[in-house]
Amino acid sequence: NQMDQIFAVPPHAGRRLRAGAAQDQINRAIILLASLSGMATENMTRGDGWRFLDIGKRLERALQMTELLRYALAGEAREDVGVLEAVLEMADSSITYRSRYLTSLHASLVLDLLLVDEANPRSVAYQLMQLRDRIDQLPHAHTAIRRPQESREAMALLTTVQLADVRELAKSGGSTDALATLLEGLSASLTQLSETLSTAYFSHVVPSRLLAVP
């Protein structure tokens, strides 16, 4: 209800929203979402409902970070200090970067922190690691003889990121940009994983059966 109130269309909808007012709305929304996340973390029983909630969060965060890195760093501007600072700020990782690397901004180090670092809760690798663990705890993982499709897709995603060489990715460029290719592939695979999970657990379509004619 509070989120609805924050983003409700005001009577003067035709007027432009000033930057200060927009920032205030965003900050209030962030506080509410952080409160909701805290309640889910501290109060929810760790059943399948919580697992699907966490899977959804990890999928969205992985997709958002992948797209952020793709549009900000997969191009000629990847060594632009202003761009790197903005990426770290949006990823809530500026302080972590400064305390860890104690150096100027470099694309390879930003990629190391936001793409492959499994200890950073904002990185793509961290989301994929959590996704793999949550999916392996779902019902189909315990009943299948072999790993189900969603489990194999999650493992493939994590392995792809773990094997990525950020130094080489930061050097790549031109028409065959390895970083852009990697991030585009991750984005497509994450979307496919979401569809696989939806089909496995949320699709209510019953396969048709042919009746034998006597």
Side-chain angles (χ1 to χ4, degrees), residues 140-172:
H140 289 182
H142 300 292
T143 58
I145 299 175
R146 292 183 293 273
R147 284 184 175 272
Q149 179 67 21
E150 59 271 16
S151 180
R152 286 183 275 121
E153 290 181 11
M155 287 184 63
L157 277 163
L158 179 58
T159 301
T160 298
V161 172
Q162 288 174 331
L163 295 177
D165 187 336
V166 293
R167 290 186 177 87
E168 292 300 320
L169 291 173
K171 293 178 184 177
S172 65

Side-chain angles (χ1 to χ4, degrees), residues 5-201:
Q5 293 171 9
I6 291 174
F7 293 104
V9 179
H12 50 282
R15 296 165 56 184
R16 290 185 177 182
L17 187 64
R18 293 183 177 275
Q23 186 69 45
D24 181 62
Q25 285 187 329
I26 292 172
N27 287 336
R28 290 167 60 195
I30 289 174
I31 292 173
L32 287 174
L33 291 172
S35 301
L36 177 62
S37 178
M39 289 179 63
T41 301
E42 298 296 332
N43 297 340
M44 283 189 70
T45 303
R46 291 333 192 227
D48 290 334
W50 177 83
R51 293 188 185 98
F52 279 114
L53 179 66
D54 197 60
I55 286 171
K57 179 171 70 173
R58 301 304 171 188
L59 277 170
E60 288 187 3
R61 187 169 287 180
L63 274 168
Q64 290 168 359
M65 184 57 65
T66 299
E67 290 299 296
L68 173 62
L69 295 175
R70 176 186 172 191
Y71 285 103
L73 302 185
E76 299 299 327
R78 71 182 51 170
E79 290 295 348
D80 187 305
V81 174
V83 172
L84 295 176
E85 287 180 344
V87 169
L88 289 171
E89 185 67 24
M90 284 184 278
D92 291 328
S93 297
S94 297
I95 296 176
T96 304
Y97 183 95
R98 297 298 184 186
S99 62
R100 177 178 297 181
Y101 300 111
L102 301 175
T103 183
S104 57
L105 294 175
H106 297 284
S108 61
L109 297 180
V110 173
L111 286 172
D112 181 67
L113 181 64
L114 300 182
L115 181 62
V116 303
D117 186 356
E118 296 179 14
N120 180 15
R122 290 289 178 176
S123 75
V124 176
Y126 183 88
Q127 315 313 320
L128 297 178
M129 184 175 61
Q130 295 297 315
L131 272 172
R132 179 202 60 189
D133 293 345
R134 299 290 176 264
I135 290 173
D136 283 345
Q137 295 171 341
L138 293 177
H140 289 182
H142 300 292
T143 58
I145 299 175
R146 292 183 293 273
R147 284 184 175 272
Q149 179 67 21
E150 59 271 16
S151 180
R152 286 183 275 121
E153 290 181 11
M155 287 184 63
L157 277 163
L158 179 58
T159 301
T160 298
V161 172
Q162 288 174 331
L163 295 177
D165 187 336
V166 293
R167 290 186 177 87
E168 292 300 320
L169 291 173
K171 293 178 184 177
S172 65
S175 58
T176 57
D177 192 331
L179 178 59
T181 301
L182 172 67
L183 295 174
E184 288 172 7
L186 288 175
S187 181
S189 297
L190 284 164
T191 302
Q192 178 59 48
L193 176 57
S194 177
E195 294 175 356
T196 301
L197 285 165
S198 297
T199 301
Y201 290 97

